Amino acid sequence: MNPFTQFQLQQTRRTFLRRAGLGVGSVALTSLLRPAALLSSQTATTDRWAGVADPFHLAPKAKRVIFLCMAGGPSHLETFDYKPKLAELHGQPMPESLTKGQPLAQLQGQELKCFGPQHPFERYGTSGQEICTRLPHIGGIADEVCIVRSMHT
């Protein structure tokens, strides 16, 4: 098997994001510790910053890059994923059909209760996207954003 094919088989979304984060992080660290390391050899004689690649293959469009890698954040149940049945069952014991056969060792012997959304949802835009009222600005552009609700892991 050729090495590139083997690399493609091993490359998952998580490994790609981890490696991309390491790459961006290492460039950022280099720019903090030794900014001159990122300059091209032409820059030593001129005052213009040429960047890593000079000249560029394509004209750049982006002015800045913001790379966020966050752990945590608001729950999908508190932002874009409205579950009316869960809201209806809030505070009631969890149905056995959901817990039967599930490995809930840390919760054995405890009464499990449903926990519904803590903030109301409204329909926004002509598409009628159900979005939490805590995100009114996103609700204002509901017809311009794409919300993917078919992902499963």
Side-chain angles (χ1 to χ4, degrees):
M1 178 181 298
N2 110 24
F4 184 71
T5 306
Q6 186 176 5
F7 170 76
Q8 285 179 319
L9 291 174
Q10 293 173 346
Q11 185 82 347
T12 65
R13 181 176 55 94
R14 286 184 183 186
T15 58
F16 170 77
L17 292 173
R18 183 177 64 235
R19 288 177 181 167
L22 289 173
V24 172
S26 64
V27 171
L29 181 62
T30 302
S31 72
L32 292 173
L33 297 177
R34 192 167 163 232
L38 298 177
L39 302 177
S40 70
S41 60
Q42 295 176 349
T43 310
T45 59
T46 66
D47 292 338
R48 180 179 81 79
W49 183 73
V52 177
D54 191 33
F56 292 113
H57 300 289
L58 301 169
K61 294 180 182 178
K63 301 269 190 227
R64 305 279 187 274
V65 174
I66 298 173
F67 184 84
L68 301 175
C69 183
M70 302 181 295
S75 164
H76 63 99
L77 299 172
E78 300 297 331
T79 52
F80 304 107
D81 199 6
Y82 182 57
K83 304 280 188 195
K85 184 69 173 176
L86 185 60
E88 181 183 311
L89 292 174
H90 180 70
Q92 297 179 15
M94 191 170 290
E96 189 178 327
S97 61
L98 295 176
T99 59
K100 189 173 185 179
Q102 296 295 323
L104 301 171
Q106 68 274 19
L107 301 174
Q108 294 299 323
Q110 297 183 24
E111 183 182 10
L112 303 176
K113 292 187 178 183
C114 295
F115 192 74
Q118 300 302 294
H119 305 286
F121 279 70
E122 285 184 9
R123 292 188 177 275
Y124 289 93
T126 57
S127 60
Q129 294 283 359
E130 288 182 308
I131 299 174
C132 182
T133 56
R134 303 275 302 198
L135 304 171
H137 297 293
I138 292 178
I141 58 168
D143 292 329
E144 300 171 29
V145 296
C146 174
I147 301 173
V148 178
R149 292 192 170 118
S150 59
M151 300 292 290
H152 296 280
T153 59

